[in-house]
Amino acid sequence: MADLQTDVRYIKGIGEARAKALSKLGIGTLQDLIGYFPRRYEDRTMTRAIRELELGETVCVRAMIANDPVASRISGGRTVVKARAVDDSGALDLTFFNQEYRKNSLHRGETYIFCGKVEGNLLARRMINPIVEQEGQQVLTGHIVPIYPLTAGVSQNLLYKAVGQGLTECRHLLADCLPDAVRQEHQLCHSGYAYENIHFPADAEALTLARRRMVFEELFILSCGLQMLRSRRTDVAGPACKAADMEEFYRALPFPLTKAQRRAITEAVTDMESGRPMNRLCQGDVGSGKTMVAAGCVWFAAQSGWQSALMAPTEILARQHYENLAPLFEKFGLRCALLTGSTKARERRDILENLTLGSIDLCIGTHALLTEDVSYARLGLVITDEQHRFGVNQRAALGQKAENPHMLVLSATPIPRTLALIIYGDLDVSVMNELPPGRQKVDTFAVGESYRQRVNQFIRKQVEAGHQVFIVCPLVGQEDHIPDERKAAAAYAKKLREEVFPDLRVCLLHGKMKAKEKEKVMEDFAAGNGDILVATTVVEVGVDVPNATCMVVENAERFGLSQLHQLRGRVGRGQAKSYCILLSEHPSEETKRRLKVMTKTNDGFEISREDLALRGPGDFFGQRQHGLPTLKIADLSCDMALLDEAQQAAKGWMAQDPGLEKPESGALRARIETLFAVKAEGLN
Ligand code: ADP
Ligand code: MG
């Protein structure tokens, strides 16, 4: 008797070699096998008249063999069998390579189903190596057929048969992990039906039902799991903070805070007063003033005697924070320190000592804050800036410098709330949807190659007016056979220096440079030693060059909208009017539509919504190591509504049964434990 944990070799026809090939697809047990979902489906329910076939489409035809098939030898020792099939409407040529047996298995005057891609021309239509089946014995035709992702040594046919057998063996063993109440409320089919029809849909409607159930299930399990992680966190005590009058801090600032800033600070302060550790994401558009939110939290924690650590992704950013915040905190008698890779040994020793003694209230730095020899007397608050540059694990590592410190994450990538709940699942979210008053909008233009001359003249004019210009080149992908980003940016910088702007100072910055070199280039440029900075996307992260007024993006079609928005955020930081020019050589309709979004709005949240709608969440997921389980079947570009529904359902169920202790939560709990088994450590 087989069960879900039985090895796939149990299946007829699967021996050592095939089992090994299957393992590359992550299939080891029968459970893995039936959990291996098709990537797409082909509807082979209907047959079509030959005359109506269009070139290039894959179809089924019911036709009679009109002649005796002819076999011949061709170059390379291959054989080819040719035959002609006809129906009421026309004729179809059939060609089979290396299938000599077709000569004897296809009989003149008999009718078969042929399924394949239509080739040839208007006069003669042809199928090469079609599937051939007899009516009444159809396996791969006559219904909706699953198409599985494959690997070497694993064919569609193999998977098709193996999954079928696996289902027969184990269907009755699949526990339904959705509590019945949830299943009924959301009108979802049973698990067994869903597995059956996700692989072998009875018809289109059954497939829709099955898929809906599977997607819901996946998102529901994930949401419940994330809520469990969150509640586990709220079971422990956080650094105790007493109430404090934030007005005292606000009065010391050079400007009144925006409503959004105040709200974010209030939310964070409420967390810190609650007795539980804060775990909050503060999401705000570029320039929305997240640093002040961080500062407010630091001040608040310090009122209860806690030290804070603020981690930035680069040394320049860390230094910028230090230069902004140190004078502010000095007014309150609070002491700041800057700790980076280039802090001199003596100074470093001094800082480490004072951290251990507790006489430094805020330590700002880079990854250097994570090194083992850094320890704090009373670390109560950990802040990471521009979170997407840090993995969940680094966030966790810094958190380990204290028992259960308050954590605040600042991120400039605005993402829709539902998605934030998945990506940052275990965090509470504050949204800053407002910019400080008086910001001017960056005028944005999307233009084609024919504008090159004018763009160059414009760049020159900006420089002549005393401003600076960024030019961003995309990462060059493998498909261009230039796998190295250096080449694109460096070659372009060279060309500009030699041919276009020989009289201007053109600097170069790319991701393959050593950290120290990058910092040096960036710092020089920020200090005004350079007119044009040609760069890859390394400039994306928040460096302040207020004198830069123009951002040119080459091959803008290669960037996601959210990324373009980040890039654009590098300009418009000073008093002068700023511009963003998006160059794209052969924009497709879709590209045009996307770039137009950029020219129309400066609102990061609106842009991210458009980006999500147009490209799906791949970008959001791809860029960060979020450490969460990957989704097997849900596709968040089209399943957003279902995500919402599943999240609500998860919330409802977890409210009824927070520890998942009811019997009807048993199967759910087991699934969550498997799903998060490997990941739980990083997430906590
Ligand atoms: P980001 O959210 O991108 O990190 P910053 O915190 O760097 O933004 O703030 C951007 C700029 O806006 C800084 O120069 C900061 O001093 C300024 N700023 C922040 N808050 C306000 C405010 N309420 N009013 C005016 N200027 C502000
Ligand atoms: Mg910032």
Side-chain angles (χ1 to χ4, degrees):
M1 274 288 283
D3 64 35
L4 289 166
Q5 296 317 316
T6 301
D7 193 285
V8 278
R9 278 169 295 194
Y10 178 84
I11 301 279
K12 237 190 316 177
I14 297 186
E16 288 304 321
R18 283 178 168 165
K20 205 164 157 210
L22 283 170
S23 74
K24 276 188 274 170
L25 299 174
I27 302 174
T29 63
L30 294 188
Q31 173 144 40
D32 301 335
L33 182 65
I34 59 181
Y36 192 71
F37 297 137
R39 184 180 50 206
R40 60 185 181 87
Y41 300 85
E42 270 182 23
D43 188 347
R44 299 180 187 160
T45 334
M46 313 278 274
T47 56
R48 299 262 302 276
I50 291 177
R51 199 179 47 202
E52 285 160 19
L53 301 184
E54 299 196 14
L55 297 181
E57 63 178 347
T58 298
V59 292
C60 294
V61 163
R62 183 176 178 279
M64 186 184 76
I65 294 289
N67 60 350
D68 287 323
V70 180
S72 50
R73 287 208 171 271
I74 54 170
S75 62
R78 297 191 298 164
T79 59
V80 57
V81 174
K82 291 196 169 190
R84 165 164 282 214
V86 294
D87 69 2
D88 300 345
S89 70
L92 179 69
D93 290 330
L94 304 171
T95 307
F96 299 91
F97 289 105
N98 285 339
Q99 299 179 25
E100 210 171 343
Y101 64 94
R102 296 280 186 203
K103 180 170 154 20
N104 299 319
S105 69
L106 290 175
H107 302 292
R108 175 154 82 166
E110 278 185 24
T111 297
Y112 303 86
I113 310 288
F114 302 98
C115 177
K117 189 167 159 195
V118 182
E119 304 189 40
N121 52 42
L122 283 175
L123 297 175
R125 297 210 172 77
R126 190 171 63 212
M127 278 186 190
I128 296 173
N129 293 346
I131 295 168
V132 183
E133 291 190 328
Q134 260 166 332
E135 250 178 326
Q137 300 174 26
Q138 286 166 267
V139 179
L140 293 176
T141 63
H143 47 99
I144 300 174
V145 178
I147 309 289
Y148 295 96
L150 300 176
T151 185
V154 179
S155 67
Q156 288 298 346
N157 221 352
L158 173 71
L159 273 172
Y160 189 88
K161 285 185 180 149
V163 170
Q165 204 188 326
L167 272 178
T168 312
E169 296 288 347
C170 313
R171 189 178 4 224
H172 59 287
L173 298 171
L174 288 165
D176 201 324
C177 63
L178 288 183
D180 233 26
V182 171
R183 197 181 56 72
Q184 283 176 12
E185 188 186 335
H186 296 272
Q187 305 188 338
L188 300 161
C189 63
H190 275 290
S191 167
Y193 179 90
Y195 271 98
E196 187 73 31
N197 283 283
I198 204 84
H199 289 292
F200 308 112
D203 52 39
E205 198 190 337
L207 175 57
T208 307
L209 284 176
R211 191 171 180 284
R212 183 178 138 80
R213 144 88 205 205
M214 288 297 193
V215 171
F216 186 97
E217 172 183 313
E218 178 165 55
L219 298 172
F220 181 79
I221 293 173
L222 183 59
S223 302
C224 288
L226 290 170
Q227 286 194 33
M228 277 190 93
L229 286 182
R230 192 188 293 233
S231 63
R232 200 179 301 168
R233 195 182 75 231
T234 54
D235 281 351
V236 298
C241 290
K242 59 178 202 295
D245 180 11
M246 290 307 296
E247 291 302 329
E248 193 187 329
F249 172 72
Y250 296 156
R251 275 196 296 273
L253 301 178
F255 37 68
L257 292 185
T258 64
K259 275 215 244 15
Q261 283 171 313
R262 279 174 176 254
R263 190 176 353 104
I265 292 177
T266 305
E267 285 169 350
V269 161
T270 309
D271 289 353
M272 288 192 276
E273 277 176 351
S274 73
R276 309 275 170 234
M278 165 167 75
N279 218 1
R280 181 166 289 277
L281 168 73
C282 174
Q283 230 192 65
D285 217 337
V286 210
S288 57
K290 292 182 289 294
T291 318
M292 279 304 143
V293 174
C297 293
V298 170
W299 185 85
F300 179 80
Q303 301 313 299
S304 298
W306 293 108
Q307 294 173 296
S308 300
L310 168 56
M311 182 160 72
T314 67
E315 205 165 319
I316 328 172
L317 269 177
R319 189 162 318 134
Q320 256 177 21
H321 282 324
Y322 178 75
E323 281 159 9
N324 283 331
L325 296 180
L328 172 65
F329 284 121
E330 242 159 54
K331 291 191 207 166
F332 295 101
L334 299 176
R335 201 173 147 199
C336 291
L338 176 67
L339 189 64
T340 69
S342 56
T343 306
K344 298 258 168 2
R346 260 192 59 197
E347 201 187 339
R348 182 181 159 86
R349 218 172 316 134
D350 187 48
I351 292 174
L352 293 190
E353 194 182 315
N354 282 299
L355 280 174
T356 324
L357 291 172
S359 51
I360 289 174
D361 301 286
L362 168 62
C363 189
I364 299 174
T366 53
H367 297 86
L369 294 183
L370 297 176
T371 41
E372 251 166 45
D373 56 348
V374 184
S375 64
Y376 300 74
R378 263 172 74 76
L379 181 61
L381 170 64
V382 168
I383 303 171
T384 48
D385 191 10
E386 305 290 352
Q387 122 91 14
H388 61 292
R389 296 284 153 148
F390 295 109
V392 175
N393 294 337
Q394 278 169 318
R395 184 153 46 95
L398 189 53
Q400 252 129 50
K401 300 271 175 201
E403 192 90 330
N404 283 301
H406 297 299
M407 303 261 235
L408 179 69
V409 174
L410 308 178
S411 168
T413 314
I415 44 176
R417 193 182 171 81
T418 29
L419 202 55
L421 283 175
I422 293 285
I423 294 179
Y424 302 109
D426 58 332
L427 303 180
D428 299 308
V429 182
S430 293
V431 171
M432 304 225 294
N433 50 0
E434 183 186 3
L435 293 183
R439 286 291 158 75
Q440 39 179 332
K441 147 175 188 303
V442 176
D443 280 352
T444 304
F445 305 93
V447 297
E449 200 51 36
S450 59
Y451 280 73
R452 174 74 58 191
Q453 286 293 335
R454 280 205 255 171
V455 170
N456 285 342
Q457 279 162 15
F458 186 77
I459 291 174
R460 184 173 284 281
K461 249 177 53 199
Q462 291 294 313
V463 173
E464 279 166 1
H467 297 307
Q468 291 163 288
V469 176
F470 288 111
I471 300 179
V472 171
C473 301
L475 285 181
V476 177
Q478 303 282 354
E479 75 272 22
D480 303 304
H481 307 292
I482 314 175
D484 190 343
E485 52 154 302
R486 259 172 299 194
K487 295 196 181 134
Y492 193 52
K494 184 161 178 277
K495 182 175 157 173
L496 291 179
R497 273 180 199 138
E498 289 172 0
E499 297 168 27
V500 190
F501 302 118
D503 52 329
L504 303 184
R505 296 167 299 169
V506 179
C507 317
L508 171 66
L509 184 70
H510 59 70
K512 296 278 169 68
M513 288 161 70
K514 289 214 183 68
K516 280 258 175 298
E517 282 177 81
K518 276 193 275 194
E519 303 260 326
K520 173 102 179 47
V521 172
M522 211 49 233
E523 226 156 299
D524 276 358
F525 190 70
N529 300 321
D531 302 311
I532 298 171
L533 180 67
V534 178
T536 51
T537 49
V538 286
V539 297
E540 193 189 321
V541 163
V543 178
D544 224 357
V545 187
N547 190 40
T549 53
C550 184
M551 164 66 65
V552 179
V553 183
E554 298 282 340
N555 295 103
E557 75 281 353
R558 296 205 182 194
F559 296 91
L561 291 185
S562 296
Q563 211 181 357
L564 288 175
H565 181 64
Q566 289 291 313
L567 288 169
R568 177 167 64 182
R570 296 306 102 216
V571 297
R573 308 197 134 212
Q575 300 304 315
K577 178 82 198 149
S578 295
Y579 305 88
C580 174
I581 301 172
L582 306 173
L583 273 157
S584 184
E585 203 165 345
H586 300 296
S588 64
E589 282 309 309
E590 203 228 315
T591 299
K592 279 189 196 149
R593 208 165 47 236
R594 294 200 310 118
L595 297 185
K596 194 149 165 230
V597 174
M598 294 299 298
T599 63
K600 282 205 322 238
T601 178
N602 270 251
D603 177 344
F605 284 93
E606 193 177 330
I607 287 169
S608 78
R609 271 195 302 276
E610 291 283 345
D611 209 11
L612 190 67
L614 289 168
R615 305 221 313 183
D619 278 9
F620 297 117
F621 281 104
Q623 280 169 21
R624 68 203 85 220
Q625 322 146 268
H626 46 72
L628 293 177
T630 46
L631 297 170
K632 267 171 67 181
I633 184 163
D635 172 358
L636 293 181
S637 55
C638 50
D639 294 329
M640 285 303 281
L642 212 46
L643 171 59
D644 223 22
E645 199 180 329
Q647 279 173 343
Q648 292 307 325
K651 220 166 160 184
W653 187 256
M654 296 299 285
Q656 278 182 44
D657 186 12
L660 294 183
E661 279 149 358
K662 292 187 182 171
E664 57 269 45
S665 296
L668 172 62
R669 196 188 165 95
R671 284 285 293 277
I672 291 175
E673 277 166 4
T674 324
L675 185 64
F676 282 91
V678 238
K679 312 278 183 182
E681 242 165 84
L683 276 171
N684 256 351

